[in-house]
Amino acid sequence: MTSRTPPAETPSSGGISIRSVCHEYRPARGRPVLALDNIDLEINDREFVAILGPSGCGKSTLLYLLGGFMPLQQGGISVGGRDITGPGPDRGIVFQNFALFPWKTVRQNILYGLEKQRLPKDERERTTRHFIDMVHLTGFEDSYPSQLSGGMKQRVAIARTLAINPDTLLMDEPFGALDAQTRSLMQEELLAIWNRSPTTVVFVTHDVREAVLLADRVVVMTARPGRVKKIIDTRFEGGMNAEIAKSRPFLDRVDEIWDLVREEAIVAGSAGAG
Amino acid sequence: MRLVHTLWRFTPLLLLAVVWEAVSRLGLVSEFALPPFSDVVTAFSRLADEGLWEHTAQSLYRGATGFACAVIVGVLAGVLMAWYRPVHILVNPLLRCLYPMPKSALIPLTIMWIGLGDNSKITLIFIGCLLPVVLSAFNAARGVDQVLIWSARSMGAREREVLWEVVVPAAMPEILSGIRISLALAFILLVSGELIIANNGIGYLIDILGEGGDYAGMFAGVVTISTIGFFADQGYVALTRRILAWRE
Ligand SMILES: Nc1ncnc2c1ncn2[C@@H]1O[C@H](COP(=O)(O)OP(=O)(O)O)[C@@H](O)[C@H]1O
Ligand SMILES: [Mg+2]
């Protein structure tokens, strides 16, 4: 069933090192906005890290910097020991607003990255098939994004990124547009993929339970300008499974992190109001 | 069903023909100002044997060539301007000069430089049609969602690939509406260029028929080129709908 590289030894991405990174947006009009203030974060090779924080605290900005889409203003970021110099297929990203190509069908959207990887044609087709099935979009291969619901678009975006099998996965609220049912299925699917072939994952989310469920560590950010407020270990004895997700320690951890996130959301809320 | 629909769409035109015939026959307007529709039809069938199609073909050749060149050069220039700063610096001042200039003022100039033949008309149409295409392509390409570009880059697309595989298709809806404006302009410039001075072409034909007092013939020429313009636009709209099928 799986056509991905066998799990024997997936290529190591060697972790991510974020050192004293600041980022200020300087719009042509209006005041500059300090989005990130001195972020330090070490992410281990094949670690799953979730990032939580109030809206507007710079989570997307951090992912964009990791993706190499914007020049670094201050500090350093290296992935696998090498400073990043720009975007590349070694770091796959799922954007918050999907960023699908509206003129391409579901199939063509997923094929695009595979074509760029210069994969042989039959392998491209096979991989595309596999990922369309995986995100339950069978039958919608030839639909355009404008014909899909938000949740379906999001699943195409996830499939397209997973299909190129990047060493590092950057995901910006990838399940945000999904209904609870699909969301839970996709969480399981992502965990299964990750368990089969662990890659380094930076996963931005609003959902505390999702963060604790998926991640090895959860990073809580402060309200803007975003700083690292606290890093919480969320690994559980015996790995994640449905039983543990109902256990006392799990729920306590969720509560603990909820309180941290709530504090910052209140700060962000009052700053927004003022 | 479709046929009925199409017929409905042409009802206003039929009505126009009837009213036209009536006002002229009833003497509500002078026959010189508006010859009866039936006379125009008669003149049309006579002219059809007397070179109407040759003149029309000549005009369409000029129009199509100038228009096609404007579309190709315009899309290239607009997209490259948006993508490469030096191109913008080089081309933008030219556009700013050309923009407010009434393009028909170029008619005597193109004739002086290039002569009476096809090339002066083609040049005129090319210059006139270029602007809407360049401007729409430039604005559209500049406005392409940054995240689409990032997403292509992160999947391994190189800069040139991003330009043709992402920027151009993303800009296509706006580019196509710029081209539609140019299509209408092509007809305007074509006929006015030929009306002012030419040896052949539908504009020329209209001009000499009018001067010779054959008003029904003149109207037949006007109706011919207008009809062609109408179908060119309809065809273009249908084509656009096909190209942009992904929008809905
Ligand atoms: N292009 C931009 N220009 C100016 N300000 C921006 C821009 N993008 C984001 N910002 C601001 O930077 C802050 C962080 O944004 P973002 O990283 O998108 O936050 P998050 O993803 O955590 O919601 C926000 O306050 C936002 O308004
Ligand atoms: Mg965001």
Side-chain angles (χ1 to χ4, degrees):
Chain A
M1 182 202 148
T2 139
S3 68
R4 279 167 68 105
T5 10
E9 259 310 285
T10 42
S12 129
S13 62
I16 301 171
S17 165
I18 302 168
R19 300 173 303 272
S20 322
V21 165
C22 298
H23 191 87
E24 186 178 64
Y25 285 103
R26 295 162 188 147
R29 297 157 162 278
R31 277 183 295 166
V33 177
L34 185 62
L36 293 176
D37 186 15
N38 217 4
I39 301 279
D40 274 296
L41 187 60
E42 294 292 327
I43 297 170
N44 300 322
D45 185 17
R46 294 168 209 198
E47 185 179 24
F48 197 128
V49 166
I51 298 191
L52 282 168
S55 170
C57 76
K59 305 180 295 295
S60 297
T61 306
L62 184 61
L63 281 203
Y64 295 162
L65 291 174
L66 287 171
F69 304 122
M70 304 188 295
L72 265 182
Q73 295 170 345
Q74 222 183 93
I77 298 180
S78 51
V79 174
R82 261 168 305 150
D83 286 343
I84 54 164
T85 53
D90 57 320
R91 283 150 291 139
I93 182 161
V94 179
F95 289 97
Q96 193 170 0
N97 299 318
F98 328 130
L100 299 177
F101 301 131
W103 59 89
K104 286 183 186 285
T105 63
V106 168
R107 186 208 308 281
Q108 292 165 341
N109 265 286
I110 298 174
L111 274 172
Y112 186 78
L114 300 170
E115 282 159 8
K116 295 296 140 200
Q117 305 310 303
R118 313 254 178 282
L119 288 181
K121 190 165 189 323
D122 56 337
E123 195 178 332
R124 293 198 304 249
E125 295 293 342
R126 196 152 21 88
T127 309
T128 303
R129 245 304 19 101
H130 170 72
F131 281 95
I132 288 177
D133 291 344
M134 192 202 86
V135 297
H136 309 289
L137 284 173
T138 318
F140 291 94
E141 292 85 349
D142 299 319
S143 302
Y144 287 103
S146 64
Q147 299 166 322
L148 304 178
S149 72
M152 292 162 97
K153 283 187 237 186
Q154 198 154 47
R155 283 180 274 154
V156 180
I158 293 166
R160 160 175 94 161
T161 303
L162 291 178
I164 58 176
N165 196 15
D167 302 336
T168 304
L169 260 179
L170 310 171
M171 305 179 97
D172 199 350
E173 306 192 20
F175 302 152
L178 303 180
D179 59 272
Q181 179 74 33
T182 318
R183 189 178 183 121
S184 156
L185 283 174
M186 294 294 294
Q187 287 168 349
E188 279 169 30
E189 195 63 57
L190 182 63
L191 263 188
I193 288 173
W194 189 77
N195 283 328
R196 267 202 304 277
S197 57
T199 50
T200 311
V201 181
V202 184
F203 187 98
V204 170
T205 177
H206 261 124
D207 182 334
V208 177
R209 188 180 174 278
E210 177 172 270
V212 178
L213 184 74
L214 297 175
D216 295 324
R217 282 190 298 160
V218 171
V219 176
V220 178
M221 287 176 68
T222 64
R224 200 187 73 220
R227 283 183 232 101
V228 174
K229 182 182 171 81
K230 193 158 185 203
I231 302 177
I232 300 104
D233 199 306
T234 49
R235 266 168 302 190
F236 292 87
E237 201 78 31
M240 184 48 63
N241 59 50
E243 284 312 303
I244 289 178
K246 283 183 231 142
S247 70
R248 196 71 250 169
F250 179 91
L251 298 174
D252 285 346
R253 202 70 54 89
V254 171
D255 274 346
E256 174 197 344
I257 296 174
W258 238 121
D259 289 337
L260 294 168
V261 173
R262 194 179 294 122
E263 278 170 26
E264 291 308 316
I266 290 167
V267 176
S270 57
Chain B
M1 194 57 225
R2 252 201 105 126
L3 186 71
V4 174
H5 188 74
T6 314
L7 284 177
W8 260 113
R9 283 219 324 234
F10 289 96
T11 317
L13 291 177
L14 273 171
L15 226 67
L16 182 72
V18 171
V19 172
W20 175 353
E21 182 74 19
V23 294
S24 188
R25 289 278 174 223
L26 296 172
L28 295 177
V29 294
S30 130
E31 275 205 18
F32 299 117
L34 190 69
F37 184 66
S38 50
D39 287 6
V40 174
V41 173
T42 317
F44 176 83
S45 57
R46 176 175 48 80
L47 284 171
D49 297 329
E50 289 176 9
L52 175 65
W53 297 128
E54 286 76 2
H55 285 292
T56 306
Q58 195 62 36
S59 294
L60 289 184
Y61 159 70
R62 292 166 178 160
T65 312
F67 173 71
C69 292
V71 167
I72 294 165
V73 175
V75 171
L76 274 174
V79 169
L80 293 177
M81 263 174 82
W83 202 243
Y84 299 108
R85 188 96 196 121
V87 181
H88 184 255
I89 293 170
L90 208 70
V91 179
N92 198 39
L94 294 174
L95 289 182
R96 279 174 183 270
C97 294
L98 217 53
Y99 186 69
M101 183 190 288
K103 305 307 168 296
S104 46
L106 288 172
I107 296 173
L109 280 181
T110 54
I111 287 168
M112 226 172 68
W113 294 334
I114 304 167
L116 281 178
D118 288 336
N119 289 343
S120 66
K121 313 300 183 277
I122 292 173
T123 308
L124 174 74
I125 293 166
F126 169 71
I127 295 174
C129 292
L130 194 60
L131 273 177
V133 181
V134 177
L135 292 180
S136 65
F138 172 67
N139 285 324
R142 220 177 34 166
V144 170
D145 186 0
Q146 172 111 279
V147 178
L148 286 186
I149 295 167
W150 289 353
S151 132
R153 297 278 278 132
S154 82
M155 286 188 280
R158 285 184 292 243
E159 181 159 316
R160 182 118 39 99
E161 294 173 322
V162 171
L163 185 60
W164 299 115
E165 293 166 3
V166 178
V167 175
V168 170
M172 199 47 83
E174 213 177 315
I175 291 177
L176 290 176
S177 42
I179 292 177
R180 187 175 176 197
I181 295 171
S182 284
L183 182 63
L185 260 179
F187 279 90
I188 297 171
L189 290 171
L190 171 69
V191 175
S192 41
E194 289 176 348
L195 275 173
I196 289 184
I197 188 162
N199 294 326
N200 51 22
I202 187 92
Y204 162 84
L205 185 67
I206 292 169
D207 190 38
I208 56 158
L209 288 170
E211 274 177 21
D214 182 357
Y215 298 117
M218 189 182 91
F219 264 87
V222 172
V223 169
T224 305
I225 191 69
S226 308
T227 307
I228 293 171
F230 172 78
F231 282 109
D233 187 59
Q234 291 290 301
Y236 182 78
V237 170
L239 181 73
T240 303
R241 228 175 263 140
R242 273 191 83 136
I243 296 176
L244 301 182
W246 49 266
R247 283 214 291 193
E248 247 148 331

